Amino acid sequence: MLIFPKQYLWILIFMNGCRWQLAADLVNFGGWLKNMNTKGQGKNNVNIVTLGCAKNIVDSEILLTQLKGNNEDVRHESQKDDANIVVINTCGFIDSAKQESIDTILRYVDAKQNGLIEKLYVTGCLSQRYKEDLRKEIPDVDAWFGTNELPQLLNRFNVDYKHELVGEWQITTPRHYAYLKISEGCDRPCAFCAIPLMRGRHVSKPMDALITVASNLARSGVKELLLLAQDTTYYGIDLYGKRSLAELLRKLSDVEGLEWIRLHYAFPTGFPLEVLDVISEKDNICIYLDIPLQHASTRMLKIMRRGTTRKKTETLLHTIRDRVPDIALRTTLITGHPGETEEDFEQMMDFVLKSRFDRLGVFTYSHEENTHAFSLEDNVSEDLKQKRADDVMELQQRISFEINTSKVGRVMKVLTDRVEAGNLNGRREFDSPEVDNEVIIENNQNLNNDAKPGEFIQVKITDANEFDLFGKILSR
Ligand code: SF4
């Protein structure tokens, strides 16, 4: 039975009072240890472990591409136990994400102490944010890297960054869809957010380079491209002096082979309405929009420094739905931000009820040092934050059930993702991978057995629940 080393307890305490519970997670680590064997000499065998959001997956894919491009034997999230070098790409967004990152680092520190791996490198947001403290507290990690230190990380493998690989991309997602990060960092002043502390100012990636990557991905079989950034609607302001997301979308929609282009992380304030014209004009741009709103009470939107009001938000949602009928809207809200009153929360509930989002996620506020909100009193209790989040999700489940039920009987275009429990799981253009609904196609027809992941098929929706749709294949 693995006994958790006492010296690591202090890490938990020093992490600025974040409330962590750890022991249980490590108990099952013992089993993992048994089947690891000691590493021999010779060529490196690298395993990249990614935590956090899809933007981190893109960073890991760039590292994977560079290491492979330098003839390193490297895998992503390998389940095999033969790596001698492990690189952990961490997340440092909020408490729960930081906990998962520390848990993962400590697991591999134990593997190193047991001689099961030789080198352990840590990169990503948690490392960017707490590097100096972590270096002192967890000396078993061989090196810590920030979010903009890929060349330094590569130097540890005695290889250099290869610019000629910029257009190449080793994806870690299923071959038919891929993430494309169109910019890094953020210039927004949101009070609660630590991301600019970890990712820096907004930097758009050149449009030509993005088109080159998209073309290479499409040639390699990618049919669905998901556009990511901290704020996709800010794209181009730094590089071209104007909002250029609409222009980028137009150019991407001309890339042969891309059947679905999906837009994530739009920001409501200053939303470039011309983007809606491109979405409604171009058949291969999904009528789908992820637009995190965070709150609905005008008083709270002011405290959160979101630069908008409830009225302006509702006007924007009406305009989006007017100009792109049937568009699926995803949003994210935060409960328990400093200053949130019961009346503010009732406004959020009323807004959710009236806005009827297709998808909605809720975070409880996390008191993050060095953010503007950290100077405010964290005056909503953890229990109340969680209760409010549960109330919002309970309401949203009812709305999702009604929306999903209204799809029964319809025939819809589905992109198949994987086979699970004998069924084929896929998505419509209204569903983003990993975060949204799926269409579960029962395995009861001959046609079914032939359909493979990565195919577009026509499906008749036969049933629904609050999370998923169910259907039968009509044609392929
Ligand atoms: S837009 Fe606001 S919430 Fe989003 S990354 Fe930027 S500062 Fe954070």
Side-chain angles (χ1 to χ4, degrees):
M1 171 75 173
L2 178 73
I3 305 302
F4 182 59
K6 296 243 168 321
Q7 72 264 30
Y8 287 121
L9 278 173
W10 289 111
I11 294 173
L12 307 182
I13 297 159
F14 106 80
M15 279 297 187
N16 297 309
C18 306
R19 285 166 295 285
W20 312 50
Q21 72 347 293
L22 185 62
D25 297 352
L26 291 176
V27 167
N28 56 15
F29 184 55
W32 186 80
L33 279 179
K34 282 198 205 63
N35 59 15
M36 292 284 278
N37 56 26
T38 309
K39 303 294 156 230
Q41 303 309 314
K43 191 170 183 208
N44 284 330
N45 190 332
V46 186
N47 185 21
I48 300 171
V49 175
T50 303
L51 304 167
C53 66
K55 287 164 279 208
N56 245 15
I57 290 176
V58 172
D59 292 348
S60 290
E61 290 174 344
I62 294 171
L63 172 62
L64 187 73
T65 305
Q66 287 289 330
L67 288 174
K68 278 202 170 170
N70 281 286
N71 299 321
E72 288 290 342
D73 184 353
V74 55
R75 267 148 310 147
H76 184 251
E77 305 281 357
S78 167
Q79 298 310 308
K80 286 194 182 150
D81 56 4
D82 55 1
N84 68 320
I85 299 181
V86 171
V87 180
I88 305 172
N89 186 5
T90 59
C91 177
F93 181 40
I94 54 175
D95 284 357
S96 53
K98 291 189 264 185
Q99 178 169 354
E100 185 192 15
S101 292
I102 289 283
D103 291 355
T104 306
I105 293 169
L106 293 179
R107 277 205 285 276
Y108 284 102
V109 162
D110 267 328
K112 187 177 173 216
Q113 288 177 334
N114 286 280
L116 302 166
I117 62 172
E118 290 161 16
K119 294 284 183 197
L120 177 58
Y121 300 130
V122 177
T123 185
C125 291
L126 185 86
S127 180
Q128 174 72 32
R129 197 169 171 194
Y130 299 110
K131 195 191 300 178
E132 293 322 313
D133 297 322
L134 289 165
R135 184 179 280 136
K136 275 189 253 113
E137 295 298 339
I138 316 182
D140 292 281
V141 169
D142 294 278
W144 302 83
F145 301 92
T147 49
N148 285 323
E149 294 180 332
L150 176 58
Q152 291 86 335
L153 174 52
L154 291 171
N155 284 346
R156 289 284 170 155
F157 297 86
N158 300 319
V159 301
D160 294 322
Y161 182 83
K162 286 189 171 191
H163 290 279
E164 65 272 26
L165 291 175
V166 167
E168 302 304 319
W169 210 291
Q170 297 276 337
I171 63 173
T172 59
T173 48
R175 303 208 54 65
H176 55 275
Y177 73 82
Y179 298 109
L180 182 68
K181 189 157 48 169
I182 65 173
S183 64
E184 186 58 275
C186 188
D187 289 359
R188 302 280 183 180
C190 305
F192 52 85
C193 185
I195 293 173
L197 302 172
M198 301 177 281
R199 293 284 169 174
R201 300 291 306 240
H202 181 103
V203 179
S204 300
K205 297 183 187 299
M207 209 173 284
D208 294 349
L210 292 171
I211 303 300
T212 303
V213 171
S215 308
N216 291 338
L217 289 170
R219 266 195 299 279
S220 72
V222 167
K223 297 173 178 170
E224 177 183 7
L225 198 62
L226 296 97
L227 303 193
L228 306 178
Q230 307 306 349
D231 172 5
T232 51
T233 45
Y234 208 81
Y235 179 77
I237 290 185
D238 55 320
L239 204 51
Y240 308 113
K242 60 182 173 63
R243 292 179 185 276
S244 311
L245 180 59
E247 184 187 344
L248 174 63
L249 282 170
R250 269 183 208 292
K251 289 190 173 165
L252 286 171
S253 72
D254 294 336
V255 171
E256 202 183 326
L258 290 182
E259 299 201 29
W260 281 355
I261 297 165
R262 190 181 300 280
L263 189 53
H264 275 268
Y265 300 105
F267 194 87
T269 310
F271 183 92
L273 296 176
E274 63 274 16
V275 164
L276 303 175
D277 301 334
V278 187
I279 294 177
S280 46
E281 263 169 49
K282 298 289 184 181
D283 293 344
N284 62 346
I285 299 182
C286 297
I287 43 178
Y288 176 96
L289 184 66
D290 167 40
I291 182 166
L293 296 171
Q294 312 303 7
H295 215 292
S297 140
T298 296
R299 197 183 77 85
M300 284 312 300
L301 289 166
K302 191 160 187 290
I303 292 173
M304 295 164 95
R305 306 201 316 174
R306 295 287 290 178
T308 189
T309 64
R310 177 168 178 175
K311 182 115 188 51
K312 286 181 183 165
T313 303
E314 288 172 332
T315 303
L316 175 62
L317 295 179
H318 289 314
T319 304
I320 292 172
R321 284 174 164 150
D322 282 352
R323 289 172 63 167
V324 189
D326 297 331
I327 190 166
L329 290 178
R330 154 174 275 282
T331 197
T332 308
L333 300 171
I334 295 176
T335 57
H337 190 281
E340 186 183 72
T341 63
E342 195 54 38
E343 200 243 331
D344 292 317
F345 178 63
E346 278 156 20
Q347 280 219 35
M348 181 189 279
M349 290 292 276
D350 179 60
F351 174 73
V352 170
L353 184 65
K354 289 185 176 134
S355 305
R356 295 182 64 77
F357 292 100
D358 301 81
R359 321 265 176 269
L360 187 149
V362 181
F363 287 101
T364 55
Y365 171 76
S366 179
H367 208 40
E368 296 298 321
E369 73 280 0
N370 301 326
T371 62
H372 173 74
F374 196 71
S375 62
L376 308 173
E377 189 200 346
D378 185 10
N379 61 352
V380 181
S381 73
E382 288 307 314
D383 293 347
L384 186 53
K385 287 175 186 170
Q386 192 55 56
K387 180 185 178 313
R388 288 176 177 170
D390 296 345
D391 290 353
V392 171
M393 287 318 292
E394 196 184 317
L395 171 58
Q396 180 59 29
Q397 274 181 20
R398 288 206 301 276
I399 293 168
S400 293
F401 181 70
E402 290 162 13
I403 292 173
N404 283 352
T405 306
S406 72
K407 311 299 180 194
V408 174
R410 301 213 3 217
V411 175
M412 301 189 124
K413 180 180 178 180
V414 168
L415 176 58
T416 58
D417 284 324
R418 68 183 189 285
V419 174
E420 189 176 295
N423 296 325
L424 200 51
N425 290 34
R427 291 169 294 110
R428 305 158 306 146
E429 72 173 297
F430 311 110
D431 314 314
S432 191
E434 306 292 332
V435 291
D436 290 337
N437 283 31
E438 289 189 309
V439 180
I440 297 163
I441 302 150
E442 288 130 14
N443 183 13
N444 58 12
Q445 284 189 347
N446 292 346
L447 261 182
N448 219 1
N449 300 334
D450 300 339
K452 306 235 171 346
E455 279 188 40
F456 283 102
I457 56 177
Q458 291 296 323
V459 173
K460 176 149 188 195
I461 306 300
T462 55
D463 198 359
N465 64 25
E466 62 269 43
F467 302 114
D468 296 312
L469 299 174
F470 302 86
K472 289 184 181 341
I473 295 185
L474 275 190
S475 62
R476 295 172 52 227

